[in-house]
Amino acid sequence: MKQIKVLGTGCRNCEITAKIISQAAAEAGVEIELEKVTDIAAIMGYGVMSTPGVVVDGVVVHSGGVPGPDQARAWVREGADSAG
């Protein structure tokens, strides 16, 4: 199962980002574990200075704005086909 974290303080853009990722996973039929990280020290620990940030399986893949739906679909599908 893919682990995805949305890094941010709970602002509107962070909430939108979480929704986009959840929707992309549902559309793709991929099960994910989505976690919202709101602790500033934890966010900075990933080196993210501008939120929202997105971490997929421990790797920062995005920061500084709301990702597009195509980006989110790519994150949830990446490796899903071979994850049998």
Coordinates of all heavy atoms in Angstrom, one line a residue:
M1 N 0.8 -1.2 0.0 CA 0.0 0.0 0.0 C 0.9 1.2 0.0 O 1.9 1.3 0.7 CB -0.9 0.0 1.2 CG -1.7 1.2 1.4 SD -2.7 1.4 2.8 CE -3.4 -0.2 3.1
K2 N 0.5 2.2 -0.8 CA 1.3 3.4 -1.0 C 1.0 4.3 0.2 O -0.2 4.5 0.6 CB 0.8 4.1 -2.3 CG 1.9 5.0 -2.9 CD 1.5 5.3 -4.3 CE 2.0 4.4 -5.3 NZ 3.4 4.3 -5.4
Q3 N 2.0 4.9 0.8 CA 1.9 5.8 1.9 C 2.1 7.3 1.4 O 3.2 7.6 0.8 CB 2.9 5.5 3.0 CG 2.6 4.2 3.7 CD 3.5 3.9 4.8 OE1 4.7 4.4 4.8 NE2 3.1 3.3 5.8
I4 N 1.1 8.1 1.5 CA 1.2 9.5 1.0 C 0.9 10.4 2.2 O -0.1 10.2 2.9 CB 0.2 9.7 -0.1 CG1 0.5 8.7 -1.3 CG2 0.2 11.2 -0.6 CD1 -0.5 8.9 -2.5
K5 N 1.8 11.4 2.3 CA 1.6 12.4 3.3 C 1.4 13.8 2.7 O 2.1 14.1 1.8 CB 2.8 12.5 4.2 CG 3.1 11.2 5.0 CD 4.3 11.2 5.9 CE 4.5 9.9 6.5 NZ 5.6 9.9 7.5
V6 N 0.4 14.5 3.2 CA 0.3 15.9 2.8 C 0.8 16.8 3.9 O 0.4 16.7 5.1 CB -1.2 16.2 2.6 CG1 -1.4 17.7 2.2 CG2 -1.8 15.4 1.4
L7 N 1.8 17.5 3.6 CA 2.5 18.4 4.6 C 1.9 19.8 4.5 O 1.9 20.4 3.5 CB 4.0 18.4 4.3 CG 4.7 17.1 4.0 CD1 6.2 17.4 3.7 CD2 4.6 16.2 5.2
G8 N 1.4 20.2 5.7 CA 0.9 21.6 5.7 C 0.2 21.8 7.1 O -0.2 20.9 7.8
T9 N -0.1 23.1 7.3 CA -0.7 23.5 8.6 C -2.2 23.3 8.7 O -2.8 23.7 9.6 CB -0.3 24.9 9.0 OG1 -0.7 25.8 7.9 CG2 1.2 25.0 9.1
G10 N -2.8 22.8 7.6 CA -4.2 22.6 7.6 C -5.0 23.7 6.9 O -6.2 23.9 7.0
C11 N -4.2 24.5 6.1 CA -4.8 25.6 5.3 C -5.7 25.0 4.2 O -5.7 23.8 3.9 CB -3.7 26.4 4.7 SG -2.7 25.5 3.4
R12 N -6.4 25.9 3.5 CA -7.3 25.5 2.5 C -6.6 24.7 1.4 O -7.1 23.7 0.9 CB -8.0 26.7 1.9 CG -9.0 26.4 0.8 CD -9.9 27.6 0.5 NE -10.6 27.5 -0.8 CZ -11.5 26.7 -1.1 NH1 -11.8 25.7 -0.3 NH2 -12.0 26.7 -2.3
N13 N -5.5 25.2 0.9 CA -4.7 24.5 -0.1 C -4.3 23.1 0.3 O -4.3 22.2 -0.5 CB -3.5 25.3 -0.6 CG -3.9 26.5 -1.5 OD1 -5.0 26.6 -1.9 ND2 -3.0 27.4 -1.6
C14 N -4.0 22.9 1.6 CA -3.6 21.6 2.1 C -4.8 20.6 2.0 O -4.7 19.5 1.7 CB -3.0 21.7 3.5 SG -1.5 22.7 3.6
E15 N -5.9 21.1 2.4 CA -7.2 20.3 2.4 C -7.5 19.9 0.9 O -7.9 18.8 0.7 CB -8.3 21.1 3.0 CG -8.1 21.3 4.5 CD -8.1 20.1 5.3 OE1 -8.7 19.1 5.0 OE2 -7.3 20.0 6.3
I16 N -7.4 20.9 0.0 CA -7.7 20.6 -1.4 C -6.7 19.6 -1.9 O -7.1 18.6 -2.6 CB -7.6 21.9 -2.2 CG1 -8.8 22.8 -1.9 CG2 -7.6 21.6 -3.7 CD1 -8.6 24.3 -2.4
T17 N -5.5 19.7 -1.6 CA -4.4 18.7 -2.0 C -4.8 17.3 -1.5 O -4.7 16.3 -2.3 CB -3.0 19.1 -1.5 OG1 -2.7 20.4 -2.1 CG2 -2.0 18.1 -1.8
A18 N -5.2 17.2 -0.3 CA -5.6 15.9 0.3 C -6.8 15.3 -0.5 O -6.8 14.1 -0.8 CB -5.9 16.0 1.8
K19 N -7.8 16.2 -0.8 CA -8.9 15.7 -1.5 C -8.6 15.2 -2.9 O -9.1 14.2 -3.4 CB -10.0 16.8 -1.6 CG -10.8 16.9 -0.4 CD -11.9 18.0 -0.6 CE -12.7 18.2 0.7 NZ -13.6 19.3 0.6
I20 N -7.7 16.0 -3.6 CA -7.3 15.6 -5.0 C -6.6 14.2 -5.0 O -6.9 13.4 -5.8 CB -6.3 16.7 -5.5 CG1 -7.1 18.0 -5.9 CG2 -5.6 16.2 -6.8 CD1 -6.2 19.1 -6.2
I21 N -5.8 14.0 -4.0 CA -5.0 12.7 -3.9 C -6.0 11.6 -3.6 O -6.0 10.5 -4.2 CB -3.9 12.8 -2.8 CG1 -2.8 13.8 -3.3 CG2 -3.3 11.4 -2.6 CD1 -1.8 14.1 -2.3
S22 N -6.9 11.8 -2.6 CA -7.9 10.8 -2.3 C -8.8 10.4 -3.5 O -9.1 9.3 -3.8 CB -8.8 11.3 -1.1 OG -8.1 11.4 0.0
Q23 N -9.2 11.5 -4.2 CA -10.1 11.3 -5.4 C -9.3 10.5 -6.5 O -9.8 9.6 -7.1 CB -10.6 12.6 -5.9 CG -11.5 12.4 -7.1 CD -12.1 13.7 -7.5 OE1 -11.9 14.8 -6.9 NE2 -12.9 13.7 -8.6
A24 N -8.0 10.8 -6.7 CA -7.2 10.1 -7.7 C -7.1 8.7 -7.3 O -7.1 7.8 -8.2 CB -5.9 10.8 -7.8
A25 N -6.8 8.4 -6.1 CA -6.7 7.0 -5.6 C -8.0 6.2 -5.8 O -8.0 5.1 -6.3 CB -6.3 6.9 -4.2
A26 N -9.1 6.9 -5.5 CA -10.4 6.2 -5.6 C -10.7 5.9 -7.1 O -11.1 4.8 -7.5 CB -11.5 7.1 -5.0
E27 N -10.4 6.9 -8.0 CA -10.6 6.7 -9.4 C -9.8 5.6 -10.0 O -10.2 4.9 -10.9 CB -10.4 8.0 -10.1 CG -11.5 9.0 -9.9 CD -11.1 10.4 -10.5 OE1 -10.0 10.5 -11.1 OE2 -11.9 11.3 -10.3
A28 N -8.5 5.5 -9.5 CA -7.6 4.5 -10.0 C -7.8 3.1 -9.3 O -7.2 2.1 -9.8 CB -6.2 4.9 -9.7
G29 N -8.6 3.1 -8.3 CA -8.8 1.8 -7.6 C -7.6 1.4 -6.8 O -7.4 0.2 -6.6
V30 N -6.8 2.3 -6.4 CA -5.6 2.1 -5.6 C -5.8 2.4 -4.2 O -6.2 3.5 -3.8 CB -4.4 2.9 -6.2 CG1 -3.1 2.7 -5.4 CG2 -4.2 2.5 -7.7
E31 N -5.4 1.5 -3.3 CA -5.5 1.7 -1.9 C -4.3 2.5 -1.4 O -3.2 2.1 -1.7 CB -5.7 0.4 -1.1 CG -6.1 0.5 0.3 CD -6.4 -0.8 1.0 OE1 -6.7 -1.8 0.2 OE2 -6.3 -0.9 2.2
I32 N -4.5 3.6 -0.7 CA -3.4 4.4 -0.2 C -3.7 4.6 1.3 O -4.8 4.5 1.8 CB -3.3 5.7 -0.9 CG1 -4.5 6.6 -0.7 CG2 -3.0 5.5 -2.4 CD1 -4.3 8.1 -1.1
E33 N -2.6 5.0 2.0 CA -2.7 5.4 3.4 C -2.3 6.9 3.3 O -1.2 7.3 3.0 CB -1.7 4.7 4.2 CG -1.7 5.1 5.7 CD -0.6 4.4 6.5 OE1 -0.5 3.2 6.3 OE2 0.0 5.0 7.4
L34 N -3.3 7.8 3.6 CA -3.1 9.2 3.5 C -3.0 9.8 4.9 O -3.9 9.6 5.7 CB -4.3 9.8 2.7 CG -4.2 11.3 2.4 CD1 -3.0 11.7 1.6 CD2 -5.5 11.8 1.8
E35 N -2.0 10.5 5.1 CA -1.7 11.1 6.4 C -1.5 12.6 6.2 O -0.8 13.1 5.3 CB -0.5 10.5 7.0 CG -0.1 11.1 8.4 CD 1.2 10.5 8.9 OE1 1.7 9.5 8.4 OE2 1.7 11.1 9.9
K36 N -2.1 13.4 7.1 CA -1.9 14.9 7.1 C -0.9 15.2 8.2 O -1.1 14.9 9.3 CB -3.2 15.6 7.3 CG -4.2 15.4 6.2 CD -5.5 16.1 6.5 CE -6.5 15.8 5.5 NZ -7.8 16.4 5.8
V37 N 0.2 15.8 7.8 CA 1.3 16.2 8.7 C 1.2 17.7 8.9 O 1.4 18.5 8.0 CB 2.7 15.8 8.2 CG1 3.7 16.2 9.2 CG2 2.7 14.3 8.0
T38 N 0.9 18.1 10.2 CA 0.7 19.5 10.4 C 1.8 20.1 11.3 O 1.8 21.3 11.5 CB -0.7 19.8 11.1 OG1 -0.8 19.0 12.3 CG2 -1.8 19.4 10.2
D39 N 2.6 19.3 11.9 CA 3.7 19.7 12.8 C 4.8 20.4 12.0 O 5.4 19.8 11.1 CB 4.2 18.6 13.6 CG 5.3 19.0 14.5 OD1 5.0 19.7 15.5 OD2 6.5 18.6 14.3
I40 N 5.0 21.7 12.3 CA 6.0 22.5 11.5 C 7.4 21.8 11.5 O 8.0 21.8 10.5 CB 6.1 23.9 12.1 CG1 4.7 24.6 11.9 CG2 7.2 24.7 11.4 CD1 4.3 24.9 10.5
A41 N 7.8 21.3 12.7 CA 9.1 20.7 12.8 C 9.2 19.5 11.9 O 10.2 19.2 11.2 CB 9.5 20.3 14.2
A42 N 8.1 18.7 11.8 CA 8.1 17.5 11.0 C 8.1 17.9 9.5 O 8.8 17.3 8.7 CB 6.9 16.7 11.3
I43 N 7.4 18.9 9.2 CA 7.4 19.4 7.8 C 8.7 19.9 7.4 O 9.2 19.5 6.3 CB 6.3 20.6 7.6 CG1 4.9 20.0 7.8 CG2 6.5 21.2 6.3 CD1 3.8 21.1 8.0
M44 N 9.4 20.7 8.2 CA 10.7 21.2 7.9 C 11.7 20.0 7.8 O 12.7 20.1 7.1 CB 11.1 22.2 8.9 CG 10.3 23.5 8.7 SD 10.7 24.8 9.9 CE 12.1 25.5 9.0
G45 N 11.5 18.9 8.6 CA 12.3 17.8 8.5 C 12.4 17.1 7.2 O 13.4 16.5 6.8
Y46 N 11.4 17.4 6.4 CA 11.4 16.9 5.0 C 12.0 17.9 4.0 O 12.1 17.6 2.9 CB 9.9 16.6 4.5 CG 9.3 15.3 5.0 CD1 8.5 15.4 6.1 CD2 9.7 14.1 4.4 CE1 7.9 14.2 6.6 CE2 9.1 12.9 4.9 CZ 8.2 13.0 6.0 OH 7.7 11.8 6.4
G47 N 12.4 19.0 4.6 CA 13.0 20.1 3.7 C 12.0 20.9 3.0 O 12.4 21.7 2.1
V48 N 10.8 20.8 3.3 CA 9.7 21.5 2.7 C 9.6 22.9 3.4 O 9.3 23.0 4.5 CB 8.4 20.8 2.7 CG1 7.2 21.6 2.2 CG2 8.5 19.5 1.8
M49 N 9.8 24.0 2.6 CA 9.6 25.3 3.2 C 8.4 26.0 2.7 O 8.0 27.0 3.3 CB 10.9 26.1 2.7 CG 12.2 25.5 3.2 SD 12.3 25.3 4.9 CE 12.8 26.9 5.5
S50 N 7.7 25.5 1.7 CA 6.5 26.0 1.2 C 5.4 24.9 1.0 O 5.7 23.9 0.4 CB 6.8 26.7 -0.2 OG 5.6 27.3 -0.7
T51 N 4.3 25.1 1.7 CA 3.3 24.1 1.7 C 2.2 24.5 0.7 O 2.0 25.6 0.3 CB 2.7 23.9 3.1 OG1 2.1 25.2 3.5 CG2 3.8 23.5 4.1
P52 N 1.3 23.5 0.3 CA 1.4 22.1 0.8 C 2.5 21.3 0.1 O 2.9 21.7 -1.0 CB 0.0 21.6 0.3 CG -0.4 22.4 -0.8 CD 0.2 23.8 -0.5
G53 N 3.0 20.4 0.8 CA 4.0 19.4 0.3 C 3.4 18.1 0.2 O 2.4 17.7 1.0
V54 N 3.9 17.2 -0.6 CA 3.4 15.8 -0.8 C 4.6 14.9 -0.7 O 5.6 15.1 -1.4 CB 2.6 15.7 -2.1 CG1 2.2 14.2 -2.2 CG2 1.5 16.6 -2.2
V55 N 4.5 13.9 0.1 CA 5.5 12.9 0.3 C 4.9 11.5 -0.1 O 3.9 11.2 0.4 CB 6.0 12.8 1.7 CG1 7.1 11.7 1.9 CG2 6.6 14.2 2.1
V56 N 5.5 10.8 -1.0 CA 5.0 9.5 -1.5 C 6.1 8.5 -1.1 O 7.2 8.6 -1.6 CB 4.7 9.5 -3.0 CG1 4.3 8.1 -3.4 CG2 3.7 10.5 -3.4
D57 N 5.7 7.6 -0.3 CA 6.6 6.5 0.2 C 8.0 7.1 0.6 O 9.0 6.6 0.3 CB 6.8 5.4 -0.9 CG 5.5 4.7 -1.2 OD1 4.7 4.5 -0.2 OD2 5.4 4.2 -2.3
G58 N 7.9 8.1 1.4 CA 9.1 8.7 2.0 C 9.9 9.7 1.1 O 10.9 10.3 1.6
V59 N 9.4 10.0 -0.1 CA 10.1 10.9 -1.0 C 9.2 12.1 -1.3 O 8.1 12.0 -1.6 CB 10.4 10.1 -2.3 CG1 11.1 11.1 -3.3 CG2 11.3 8.9 -2.1
V60 N 9.8 13.3 -1.1 CA 9.1 14.5 -1.4 C 8.9 14.6 -2.9 O 9.9 14.6 -3.6 CB 9.8 15.8 -0.8 CG1 9.1 17.0 -1.2 CG2 10.0 15.7 0.7
V61 N 7.7 14.7 -3.4 CA 7.4 14.8 -4.8 C 6.9 16.1 -5.2 O 6.8 16.4 -6.4 CB 6.5 13.6 -5.3 CG1 7.2 12.3 -5.1 CG2 5.2 13.7 -4.6
H62 N 6.5 16.9 -4.2 CA 5.8 18.2 -4.6 C 5.8 19.1 -3.4 O 5.7 18.7 -2.2 CB 4.4 17.9 -5.0 CG 3.6 19.2 -5.4 ND1 3.7 19.7 -6.6 CD2 2.7 19.9 -4.6 CE1 2.9 20.8 -6.6 NE2 2.3 20.9 -5.5
S63 N 6.0 20.4 -3.7 CA 5.8 21.4 -2.6 C 5.5 22.8 -3.2 O 5.8 23.1 -4.4 CB 7.0 21.5 -1.7 OG 8.1 22.1 -2.4
G64 N 4.8 23.6 -2.4 CA 4.5 25.0 -2.8 C 3.3 25.3 -3.6 O 3.2 26.3 -4.2
G65 N 2.3 24.4 -3.6 CA 1.1 24.7 -4.3 C 0.2 23.5 -4.4 O 0.6 22.4 -4.1
V66 N -1.0 23.7 -4.9 CA -1.9 22.6 -5.1 C -1.5 21.9 -6.4 O -1.4 22.5 -7.4 CB -3.4 23.2 -5.2 CG1 -4.3 22.0 -5.6 CG2 -3.8 23.9 -3.9
P67 N -1.3 20.6 -6.3 CA -0.9 19.8 -7.4 C -2.1 19.6 -8.4 O -3.3 19.7 -7.9 CB -0.5 18.5 -6.9 CG -1.3 18.3 -5.6 CD -1.4 19.7 -5.1
G68 N -1.9 19.4 -9.6 CA -2.9 19.1 -10.6 C -3.4 17.7 -10.4 O -2.7 16.8 -9.9
P69 N -4.6 17.4 -10.9 CA -5.1 16.0 -10.8 C -4.3 15.0 -11.6 O -4.2 13.9 -11.1 CB -6.5 16.2 -11.5 CG -6.9 17.6 -11.4 CD -5.6 18.4 -11.4
D70 N -3.7 15.4 -12.7 CA -2.8 14.5 -13.4 C -1.6 14.1 -12.6 O -1.1 12.9 -12.6 CB -2.3 15.1 -14.7 CG -3.5 15.2 -15.7 OD1 -4.5 14.4 -15.6 OD2 -3.4 16.0 -16.7
Q71 N -1.0 15.0 -11.8 CA 0.1 14.7 -10.9 C -0.3 13.7 -9.9 O 0.4 12.7 -9.6 CB 0.6 16.0 -10.2 CG 1.5 16.9 -11.1 CD 1.9 18.1 -10.3 OE1 1.0 18.9 -9.9 NE2 3.2 18.2 -10.0
A72 N -1.5 14.0 -9.3 CA -1.9 13.1 -8.2 C -2.2 11.7 -8.8 O -1.9 10.7 -8.1 CB -3.2 13.6 -7.6
R73 N -2.8 11.6 -9.9 CA -3.0 10.3 -10.6 C -1.7 9.5 -10.8 O -1.6 8.3 -10.6 CB -3.8 10.4 -11.9 CG -5.3 10.7 -11.6 CD -6.0 10.6 -12.9 NE -5.9 11.7 -13.8 CZ -6.7 12.8 -13.7 NH1 -7.7 12.9 -12.8 NH2 -6.5 13.8 -14.5
A74 N -0.7 10.3 -11.2 CA 0.6 9.6 -11.4 C 1.2 9.1 -10.1 O 1.8 8.0 -10.1 CB 1.6 10.6 -12.1
W75 N 1.1 9.9 -9.0 CA 1.6 9.4 -7.8 C 0.9 8.2 -7.3 O 1.6 7.3 -6.8 CB 1.5 10.5 -6.7 CG 2.2 11.8 -7.0 CD1 3.4 11.9 -7.7 CD2 1.8 13.1 -6.6 NE1 3.7 13.2 -7.8 CE2 2.8 14.0 -7.1 CE3 0.7 13.6 -5.9 CZ2 2.7 15.4 -6.9 CZ3 0.7 15.0 -5.7 CH2 1.7 15.8 -6.2
V76 N -0.4 8.1 -7.4 CA -1.1 6.9 -6.9 C -0.9 5.7 -7.8 O -0.9 4.6 -7.3 CB -2.6 7.2 -6.6 CG1 -2.8 8.3 -5.6 CG2 -3.4 7.4 -7.8
R77 N -0.7 5.9 -9.0 CA -0.6 4.8 -10.0 C 0.9 4.3 -10.0 O 1.1 3.1 -10.4 CB -1.0 5.2 -11.4 CG -2.5 5.3 -11.5 CD -2.9 5.5 -12.9 NE -4.3 5.7 -13.0 CZ -5.0 6.5 -13.8 NH1 -4.3 7.4 -14.5 NH2 -6.3 6.6 -13.8
E78 N 1.8 5.1 -9.8 CA 3.2 4.8 -9.9 C 3.5 3.5 -9.1 O 3.4 3.4 -7.9 CB 4.1 5.9 -9.3 CG 5.6 5.7 -9.5 CD 6.3 7.0 -9.1 OE1 6.2 8.0 -9.7 OE2 7.0 6.9 -8.0
G79 N 3.9 2.5 -9.8 CA 4.2 1.2 -9.2 C 3.0 0.3 -8.8 O 3.2 -0.8 -8.4
A80 N 1.8 0.9 -9.0 CA 0.6 0.1 -8.6 C 0.4 -1.1 -9.5 O 0.0 -2.1 -9.1 CB -0.6 1.0 -8.7
D81 N 0.8 -1.0 -10.8 CA 0.6 -2.1 -11.7 C 1.5 -3.3 -11.4 O 1.1 -4.4 -11.6 CB 0.9 -1.6 -13.2 CG -0.1 -0.5 -13.6 OD1 -1.3 -0.5 -13.1 OD2 0.2 0.3 -14.5
S82 N 2.7 -3.0 -10.8 CA 3.6 -4.1 -10.5 C 3.5 -4.5 -9.1 O 4.3 -5.4 -8.7 CB 5.0 -3.6 -10.9 OG 5.4 -2.5 -10.1
A83 N 2.6 -3.9 -8.3 CA 2.6 -4.2 -6.9 C 1.7 -5.4 -6.5 O 0.9 -5.4 -5.6 CB 2.1 -3.0 -6.1
G84 N 1.7 -6.4 -7.3 CA 0.9 -7.6 -7.1 C 1.2 -8.4 -5.9 O 0.7 -9.1 -5.3

